Amino acid sequence: AYRHGGTPSTPRLRQQREVDRIEAARDVIARRFRDDLSLADMRRVAALQQSSLLVYWVGRDDTLIWVVAPGGRITMTRSAIGEAALAALARSAVSSSGAPVRGADAVAFAAGSRSALRRLYDVLIEPVRAALPATPAAPLTIIPHGPLFRVSFAGLPSRRGRYLLED
């Protein structure tokens, strides 16, 4: 099989190009995280990955959230929730959920977990929801910080009952 322009395109070559792209993005991020990740770095990674970036920085009293589109557009907002409160929500979402029970197209969680997951959606996703990709299955790369490494972002439910992964 050949792509436009006569370049060979096989599953193996496509996979290698994807691996090369991911490694290049990882290298850019790894170099910059030793210091700070600049807006230029975020734009470069989003363009390289052809993925919107959802980037968090958790402070003592608040959380900064950036959405960087592959085209370079940056949206930034502040959520008035700090490290201690986010750590407590993340612990509650993880510890009370136990093993989910799967049934007819549904996943059941403990009540405490569900409310913690909803609250996490409200403070981490809702403030930037309009800036996230609207196209189904559009790539979204999440870069958590601090206690957010414990959060399963794909499973955060919106007020409509849909998971971030579904929207």
Side-chain angles (χ1 to χ4, degrees):
Y2 284 87
R3 294 181 60 192
H4 178 68
T7 306
S9 179
T10 65
R12 186 176 197 136
L13 286 173
R14 284 191 301 272
Q15 181 181 17
Q16 185 57 51
R17 280 195 296 268
E18 182 68 12
V19 167
D20 291 344
R21 205 166 54 102
I22 290 168
E23 287 177 352
R26 182 200 62 210
D27 292 345
V28 168
I29 292 170
R31 278 194 308 275
R32 293 304 301 176
F33 266 124
R34 280 182 253 144
D35 301 315
D36 293 319
L37 186 63
S38 72
L39 293 178
D41 291 328
M42 287 191 241
R43 281 187 173 119
R44 207 170 18 258
V45 170
L48 184 64
Q49 292 296 310
Q50 284 301 295
S51 172
S52 292
L53 303 181
L54 180 53
V55 183
Y56 293 93
W57 183 86
V58 179
R60 193 184 92 219
D61 300 318
D62 58 2
T63 299
L64 300 179
I65 309 169
W66 292 268
V67 176
V68 184
R73 181 170 177 243
I74 296 178
T75 303
M76 192 280 255
T77 193
R78 177 186 160 278
S79 188
I81 185 166
E83 185 173 16
L86 281 173
L89 280 171
R91 273 191 310 275
S92 178
V94 171
S95 65
S96 65
S97 67
V101 178
R102 296 189 181 272
D105 299 323
V107 177
F109 291 98
S113 173
R114 189 159 208 48
S115 66
L117 290 167
R118 277 290 298 286
R119 176 78 176 124
L120 284 166
Y121 183 96
D122 290 346
V123 298
L124 299 175
I125 304 300
E126 192 59 42
V128 293
R129 185 68 191 109
L132 295 177
T135 306
L140 178 63
T141 303
I142 299 171
I143 303 174
H145 179 252
L148 300 183
F149 278 99
R150 295 181 57 129
V151 174
S152 175
F153 283 85
L156 297 180
S158 70
R159 293 188 186 278
R160 298 180 328 188
R162 293 183 52 86
Y163 294 103
L164 177 60
L165 181 66
E166 295 176 311
D167 284 336

